[in-house]
Amino acid sequence: MATVKNALSTRTFSVLATVGNNGNCKRKPPHVLTVAGSDSGAGAGIQADLKACGSLGVYCSSVVTAVTAQNTVGVQGVHPLPEHFVAAQLRSVLSDMEVDVVKTGMLPSIGILRVLCESLKEFPVQALVVDPVMVSTSGDVLAGTSTLDGFRDELLPMADIVTPNLKEAAALLGGLRLETVADMHHAARCIYNLGPKNVLVKGGDLPDTSDAIDIFFDGKQCHEFRVPRIKTRNTHGTGCTLASCIAAELAKGSSMLLAVQEAKRFVEGALLYSRDMVIGSGPQGPFDQLYKFKDQAFTSYRGEHFDPNSLFLYAVTDWRMNKKWGRGIVDAVKAAIDGGATIIQLREKEAKTGDFLGAAEACKKICQSNHVPLLINDRVDIALACDADGVHVGQSDMPVSKVRKLLGPNKIIGVSCKTLEQAERAWVDGADYIGCGGVFPTSTKENNITIGLDGLKALCSASKLPVVAIGGIKKGNAGSVMELGVPNLKGIAVVSALFDQQCVLTETRCLHSLLMDISASTMA
Ligand SMILES: Cc1ncc(COP(=O)(O)OP(=O)(O)O)c(N)n1
Ligand SMILES: Cc1ncsc1CCOP(=O)(O)O
Ligand SMILES: [Mg+2]
């Protein structure tokens, strides 16, 4: 089975365009095959997988292992399909349809599990995502005890990732008690020893926690994902959807860690959208995996208008500094772009509106021709007037939800956050990224509270949005920021390190090559 590196290579494979005999360009879409049970209520199982993969732009084929009768009250019946017919479905799809990633859900018998293992040996795929469905979120047992041995001894050693909930993790580990976050860390490592390349232990059922906590272990590092719990009864199908989204992101070419993060983001968005939905009268309702198609607010805000990698080296201008060194904004911006800045923010606190707009229009041309996004600090009016790529606002500026209304779905919005509550709000309100700082003391922004590397780390770990670090960052300390290696931290934003310097070009080049060296060494 594929390692993360192999999964990355599927990108080239999946988006490959070939010229057919008739000269038309053909495209092979990323393809996930789900091997799972049918849920008559359509909240989980095959139905959830099809909706989730489709929403993420991935073709999804399906091999049905069992038909279940279930609703919001629980599971009323399970009818496993004959093994030979599961085998026939697997052969039909795998022999012909160029599957990139297989995702497994309910495997109702050891026989069906073995049929799957044999098929995967005969038709290898790029990655295998195993959701070890044994106990549904409603508490119903969906797999017999002999299947448990099959998971442990036969399927997990083939898996690129396995995603047990607490009950499933406990079952895989012979009934181990899992009651704390420390227990989850321990369980992730023990399950890793059963053979999968990565483990995600989902802590949705962990008692006494206001946060939803998941533990991801890749054999070297444990990552803790901690987000405030969304209060809703509609959680039926979260496990199936999460695993399908991981599979879909892998099929599109993501690394494993990014696939898990994107999948979590998708599920949280769906839960948030569906939290008040009423379907059925039982204790646990389904949520809507098609939410992105239904509400503009959930569709485009985090769409393709923004590439988080553009936060890598974020240059923020300062009128006073540039004046001190005898240059104008436009020359300063050009030098920063030539030196490798990947996004520009015009932060011209003292400029008159007319001057600011004139400079913004000139910078827009330079940025556009270099494919570098241009953002405006604070001034939504200037951004609209010069058709900038977006705006950066702080906690006491115009609220993100209002900025979004004014700018529409296709502009970038960044917001400064120091606390986890602010970060959560930023996501709900439709921001694209978070500026987090001051990481170190700075004299560029008066009375700014310094949160330190620990504050940055905590915010990045909790954030659902990409983060850029800001405040007192320069050549001498940029390494200590980027080497934190925390999820979501995408780059550094700097003012004085570039603009309170004699040569903006040299300083930007220098910082850019330092960041490149750091990312090369942290990826090695
Ligand atoms: C990338 C980035 N992060 C944070 C800030 C600070 O914005 P704000 O809190 O609104 O403070 P001012 O810049 O307006 O003084 C930023 N500008 N850019
Ligand atoms: C705008 C801003 N927001 C938080 S710290 C800061 C100033 C960053 O400037 P410098 O990079 O010169 O420390
Ligand atoms: Mg501001």
Side-chain angles (χ1 to χ4, degrees):
M1 287 303 127
T3 60
V4 171
K5 273 197 186 119
N6 288 345
L8 273 172
S9 71
T10 59
R11 163 160 243 132
T12 349
F13 181 59
S14 298
V15 297
L16 196 68
T18 52
V19 179
N21 291 340
N22 58 5
N24 289 339
C25 199
K26 296 190 175 170
R27 183 175 58 86
K28 179 202 157 335
H31 183 164
V32 168
L33 163 62
T34 169
V35 182
S38 159
D39 170 3
S40 52
I46 290 275
Q47 289 82 353
D49 300 343
L50 287 167
K51 287 185 273 184
C53 288
S55 278
L56 291 173
V58 170
Y59 187 83
C60 186
S61 51
S62 53
V63 164
V64 182
T65 57
V67 181
T68 69
Q70 56 181 309
N71 55 21
T72 62
V73 179
V75 181
Q76 289 83 42
V78 178
H79 178 69
L81 264 77
E83 281 160 34
H84 73 87
F85 206 72
V86 174
Q89 295 176 72
L90 283 164
R91 173 166 290 280
S92 294
V93 178
L94 289 169
S95 67
D96 175 49
M97 296 182 74
E98 295 180 53
V99 172
D100 296 313
V101 179
V102 167
K103 175 256 161 189
T104 72
M106 182 180 178
L107 302 173
S109 69
I110 180 70
I112 287 178
L113 186 146
R114 287 203 175 122
V115 158
L116 171 66
C117 293
E118 288 312 310
S119 300
L120 288 170
K121 282 176 200 151
E122 189 179 350
F123 302 104
V125 292
Q126 299 284 325
L128 173 64
V129 176
V130 174
D131 181 17
V133 176
M134 287 180 264
V135 189
S136 78
T137 346
S138 58
D140 295 278
V141 176
L142 298 172
T145 40
S146 60
T147 318
L148 183 60
D149 294 332
F151 272 114
R152 248 192 316 241
D153 304 335
E154 296 173 51
L155 196 55
L156 291 198
M158 299 173 81
D160 290 88
I161 182 164
V162 59
T163 60
N165 60 28
L166 282 186
K167 290 189 191 106
E168 289 155 353
L172 286 169
L173 298 173
L176 195 74
R177 283 170 79 94
L178 299 177
E179 289 168 346
T180 64
V181 177
D183 293 343
M184 288 171 68
H185 278 266
H186 177 63
R189 286 171 190 274
C190 293
I191 294 172
Y192 177 82
N193 290 335
L194 298 174
K197 296 196 174 63
N198 298 273
V199 181
L200 181 72
V201 178
K202 299 172 295 190
D205 299 334
L206 200 68
D208 308 326
T209 51
S210 58
D211 288 343
I213 301 163
D214 294 345
I215 304 297
F216 173 73
F217 183 58
D218 60 9
K220 291 189 197 86
Q221 259 188 304
C222 252
H223 297 264
E224 196 172 300
F225 298 112
R226 194 181 270 265
V227 289
R229 220 179 263 280
I230 296 165
K231 290 191 186 70
T232 175
R233 110 188 220 276
N234 299 327
T235 54
H236 175 59
T238 42
C240 306
T241 306
L242 187 81
S244 290
C245 292
I246 295 173
E249 290 302 318
L250 290 177
K252 288 195 278 186
S254 273
S255 68
M256 190 59 83
L257 182 59
L258 284 182
V260 170
Q261 283 178 304
E262 273 309 309
K264 286 185 60 59
R265 207 187 288 257
F266 180 95
V267 173
E268 280 153 27
L271 291 178
L272 204 61
Y273 172 79
S274 319
R275 63 189 153 180
D276 302 321
M277 197 167 82
V278 181
I279 294 181
S281 56
Q284 202 186 27
F287 60 96
D288 195 346
Q289 288 91 350
L290 298 177
Y291 70 109
K292 284 176 185 254
F293 298 113
K294 300 194 175 163
D295 188 327
Q296 183 68 16
F298 287 86
T299 313
S300 323
Y301 286 1
R302 292 164 195 102
E304 284 169 7
H305 62 284
F306 176 59
D307 175 3
N309 294 321
S310 64
L311 299 174
F312 187 63
L313 177 50
Y314 189 146
V316 183
T317 67
D318 182 289
W319 173 82
R320 239 188 275 188
M321 290 175 196
N322 284 320
K323 191 168 174 228
K324 171 177 153 193
W325 291 97
R327 57 187 168 239
I329 309 171
V330 184
D331 288 340
V333 165
K334 185 163 185 334
I337 290 176
D338 289 345
T342 51
I343 188 166
I344 302 288
Q345 180 190 135
L346 300 186
R347 181 176 178 269
E348 299 296 320
K349 294 286 187 192
E350 280 135 287
K352 292 196 184 110
T353 298
D355 296 343
F356 196 171
L357 181 56
E361 282 170 338
C363 290
K364 170 80 202 288
K365 284 197 188 117
I366 296 166
C367 286
Q368 201 164 21
S369 60
N370 287 281
H371 305 286
V372 170
L374 174 71
L375 270 51
I376 306 293
N377 176 276
D378 295 351
R379 299 280 303 264
V380 182
D381 56 340
I382 301 276
L384 284 167
C386 75
D387 193 26
D389 297 294
V391 163
H392 186 95
V393 286
Q395 292 296 323
S396 49
D397 298 322
M398 188 184 288
V400 170
S401 54
K402 296 268 189 298
V403 182
R404 180 55 78 196
K405 281 214 170 91
L406 289 169
L407 293 190
N410 296 322
K411 295 289 184 190
I412 303 168
I413 302 179
V415 59
S416 311
C417 298
K418 290 187 201 298
T419 67
L420 308 193
E421 292 70 30
Q422 290 169 354
E424 178 65 14
R425 186 81 252 152
W427 185 75
V428 170
D429 285 351
D432 293 293
Y433 76 87
I434 285 169
C436 178
V439 178
F440 303 113
T442 176
S443 49
T444 305
K445 184 170 168 61
E446 278 175 13
N447 304 321
N448 191 53
I449 294 168
T450 302
I451 61 164
L453 289 170
D454 287 344
L456 173 68
K457 199 170 166 182
L459 190 131
C460 287
S461 306
S463 175
K464 300 191 185 79
L465 292 173
V467 178
V468 63
I470 190 167
I473 302 175
K474 44 187 181 251
K475 278 179 286 188
N477 58 22
S480 64
V481 176
M482 292 316 292
E483 279 158 8
L484 284 176
V486 272
N488 298 315
L489 182 59
K490 297 290 176 191
I492 56 166
V494 283
V495 187
S496 52
L498 303 187
F499 298 112
D500 202 5
Q501 310 289 334
Q502 189 166 26
C503 182
V504 176
L505 177 64
T506 310
E507 295 306 323
T508 318
R509 265 193 194 141
C510 210
L511 202 47
H512 185 266
S513 88
L514 182 84
L515 290 181
M516 293 295 280
D517 289 348
I518 296 165
S519 59
S521 67
T522 47
M523 269 161 55

